[in-house]
Amino acid sequence: MSVDIFQEKKCGVCNQIISFEDYCRDNPSISSQRAQDFWEDSLFLIFCPDCFFNLSERPFKQKRGYLNYYSRIKR
């Protein structure tokens, strides 16, 4: 394991400090290697369990071609 794993991270919403051990404990379905990959990747935001379950989902964004196709069929 690398040294970066033991650095604590902050929650993406509330800035609560999360350790790697807590992250692994809160995500038991993820293998330790996959959890390590998520933890080390800077593209992923890490959330505490409270913020994760209270996040609102983003609405589905339709592609422009999809809307144009169905608007032509209805005519």
Side-chain angles (χ1 to χ4, degrees):
M1 292 187 171
S2 67
V3 178
D4 292 347
I5 288 181
F6 299 109
Q7 291 182 353
E8 296 177 334
K9 290 194 172 193
K10 290 185 178 182
C11 173
V13 177
C14 69
N15 292 329
Q16 176 183 351
I17 295 175
I18 303 168
S19 67
F20 182 72
E21 292 80 19
D22 291 340
Y23 179 72
C24 289
R25 185 196 64 223
D26 294 337
N27 297 291
S29 62
I30 300 175
S31 68
S32 61
Q33 179 60 42
R34 188 152 172 103
Q36 179 180 353
D37 293 341
F38 281 129
W39 191 261
E40 291 176 343
D41 195 345
S42 63
L43 293 176
F44 293 108
L45 284 176
I46 304 296
F47 297 105
C48 67
D50 295 331
C51 292
F52 178 77
F53 289 114
N54 291 327
L55 286 176
S56 61
E57 294 183 23
R58 294 183 177 163
F60 177 75
K61 184 177 181 182
Q62 295 178 341
K63 294 183 179 179
R64 292 176 64 182
Y66 179 82
L67 293 174
N68 291 337
Y69 176 76
Y70 283 106
S71 64
R72 285 183 273 159
I73 290 178
K74 291 180 182 178
R75 291 183 185 175

